[in-house]
Amino acid sequence: MTKGMMVKLVKHDVRGKVIDVAEDGISIRDANGTVYFCLESELIRAGRLSDRDD
């Protein structure tokens, strides 16, 4: 993942932009300004969202 990439948390209805990439996880910010910290394995790229609700 790179900064600026649009992503979605796999098991939650949260979409946002990657704002920081660290060794232990990734920070994303949603449209409301809320920042989430998660593992890369919990994210999918926005370009692959289609109708997927895992």
Side-chain angles (χ1 to χ4, degrees):
M1 299 283 162
T2 58
K3 286 184 182 180
M5 182 178 286
M6 295 301 294
V7 295
K8 179 186 183 294
L9 281 168
V10 175
K11 296 190 180 209
H12 304 279
D13 190 25
V14 175
R15 291 174 175 81
K17 185 180 288 189
V18 175
I19 58 170
D20 190 35
V21 179
E23 284 186 27
D24 56 344
I26 295 174
S27 297
I28 66 170
R29 180 177 293 130
D30 70 6
N32 296 323
T34 305
V35 175
Y36 299 87
F37 185 79
C38 56
L39 300 174
E40 187 170 357
S41 62
E42 297 175 286
L43 300 172
I44 56 175
R45 289 181 15 199
R48 297 182 182 179
L49 294 179
S50 60
D51 293 324
R52 200 173 151 174
D53 277 338
D54 294 337

